[in-house]
Amino acid sequence: MTDLLWMAEGSTSYFQNQLLLRAGVITAKEFFDDLSQRIVLNQQNPGREVQSIAEASLGQWSSTWGDYAVNHSVNIYSEGYLASMALDFSLLSDTQLAHSYRDVHKALYQQYKIPLSYNVTDVQSILKNLSGKDYQSWWKEYVNQPFSLPFDELLDHAGLITTYGKSPKTEVDVGMVLSGLHNDLTIASVLKKGPAWNAGIAAGDEIVAINGLKVTADGLTKRLNDFNVGDTIKLSVFRDERLKELSLLLTEQPKGDLSIESVDKVTDGQKAFYKAWLGVEWPFDDKGEWINTTD
């Protein structure tokens, strides 16, 4: 077992689309559409506040699944991607763009070829050699304990910002995910501290009615959109063959898809950071529109 599995596997996820972007196989917009989805999934995962990626690495082969996993753990691939990104940005900043996370993996490949192995001390030593700085405090914050990335703060280095559009809207949030099996309304997971969680709804419950009216899987979203943020609805569910009625307070969530766009006034320094990070030229024109897109 190793507490660096996030680095070996998550870094693969982190670099794969960069390689496709630099090769011209995907556009910058496609690259950032994927990153946007990763950010949303991260923010919707309660487990990121509970488990560190070091712990996830050590427990990868004995990890749990389902509702408990969603609320109490993280995935080494998705979370490893984001930790790799944070480390990349930190190294680029600390070395004034002279070195990136790619150089860390290049050094690991050169110094620790099979059958040699490496550990945390070895990785931190490489980071210190490249940057001249001690990365133990960074490691403690982002690897050895649960972390939440300040995405806009990070992306601003590269002249980018996350957005739900010029006039963002919201919609109701219930904080639960259906199983998607057999076109029924069985709940697969309930997000910790969310509306459904606070209402006492549990994974395995089957929704049968809202405010006394029958609801189907196909019509659930439309039915929920009949209500407003702040409304309380009465949810009828079957649990262990018994009917239960639970009151659920609807909260809000952003409506539509998150996207990553150019900041209003990008600087030459931000463009330089962008190129050092991804190895390609700035993808926006002077109006902030994508230069090369398949849309």
Side-chain angles (χ1 to χ4, degrees):
M1 294 192 299
T2 174
D3 55 358
L4 286 173
L5 197 57
W6 70 268
M7 191 173 187
E9 298 293 348
S11 294
T12 302
S13 298
Y14 177 64
F15 284 126
Q16 64 185 11
N17 278 0
Q18 289 191 28
L19 293 173
L20 294 175
L21 175 63
R22 297 172 79 179
V25 177
I26 63 173
T27 66
K29 184 177 185 305
E30 289 171 328
F31 176 88
F32 286 111
D33 284 346
D34 175 78
L35 178 55
S36 297
Q37 292 174 15
R38 292 177 181 275
I39 290 173
V40 171
L41 290 174
N42 170 260
Q43 293 176 329
Q44 292 177 343
N45 178 23
R48 67 186 168 87
E49 299 178 349
V50 179
Q51 187 180 51
S52 72
I53 51 174
E55 293 172 327
S57 295
L58 287 169
Q60 174 63 20
W61 308 123
S62 59
S63 57
T64 58
W65 302 95
D67 183 64
Y68 184 87
V70 169
N71 288 311
H72 297 88
S73 65
V74 294
N75 180 283
I76 60 167
Y77 297 94
S78 55
E79 207 75 358
Y81 178 111
L82 297 177
S84 295
M85 177 178 163
L87 184 52
D88 202 359
F89 274 49
S90 181
L91 193 55
L92 284 164
S93 297
D94 288 342
T95 63
Q96 290 74 53
L97 309 186
H99 293 291
S100 72
Y101 191 43
R102 293 189 295 272
D103 295 311
V104 175
H105 280 269
K106 184 184 297 182
L108 288 171
Y109 177 77
Q110 292 172 342
Q111 299 174 30
Y112 299 97
K113 293 182 178 180
I114 296 174
L116 299 178
S117 61
Y118 59 87
N119 55 34
V120 171
T121 301
D122 298 323
V123 176
Q124 291 180 352
S125 177
I126 290 173
L127 288 167
K128 188 170 185 178
N129 289 337
L130 291 173
S131 68
K133 297 186 177 183
D134 191 332
Y135 267 70
Q136 290 188 46
S137 59
W138 185 96
W139 208 266
K140 179 180 179 180
E141 181 177 358
Y142 291 102
V143 178
N144 291 340
Q145 64 185 24
F147 69 88
S148 295
L149 288 183
F151 290 107
D152 281 334
E153 182 181 322
L154 278 179
L155 290 170
D156 184 67
H157 288 287
L160 302 167
I161 190 171
T162 62
T163 177
Y164 279 96
K166 294 181 180 180
S167 301
K169 298 179 180 180
T170 61
E171 60 185 1
V172 298
D173 179 29
V174 290
M176 60 187 179
V177 179
L178 300 181
S179 68
L181 299 175
H182 312 301
N183 201 36
D184 64 14
L185 285 168
T186 300
I187 298 170
S189 60
V190 177
L191 303 184
K192 188 176 181 180
K193 299 179 181 179
W197 176 284
N198 294 333
I201 296 169
D205 287 353
E206 182 183 359
I207 303 171
V208 293
I210 295 177
N211 286 358
L213 297 176
K214 180 181 178 180
V215 64
T216 65
D218 292 337
L220 178 62
T221 299
K222 183 178 183 301
R223 183 77 178 95
L224 290 172
N225 286 334
D226 290 338
F227 301 98
N228 298 313
V229 173
D231 287 347
T232 297
I233 62 174
K234 184 167 292 185
L235 213 61
S236 300
V237 303
F238 272 119
R239 179 184 300 171
D240 298 328
E241 304 301 324
R242 293 186 178 184
L243 184 65
K244 296 180 67 71
E245 290 192 346
L246 302 165
S247 295
L248 188 152
L249 174 64
L250 297 171
T251 60
E252 68 177 9
Q253 63 180 349
K255 185 177 182 179
D257 297 325
L258 181 73
S259 63
I260 295 176
E261 300 177 0
S262 169
V263 297
D264 287 338
K265 296 180 179 179
V266 63
T267 66
D268 289 341
Q270 289 172 315
K271 289 182 179 180
F273 191 102
Y274 178 92
K275 185 172 183 180
W277 171 34
L278 295 177
V280 295
E281 298 295 333
W282 181 246
F284 299 95
D285 61 22
D286 293 338
K287 296 180 180 179
E289 300 295 330
W290 295 101
I291 294 174
N292 180 21
T293 176
T294 56
D295 288 352

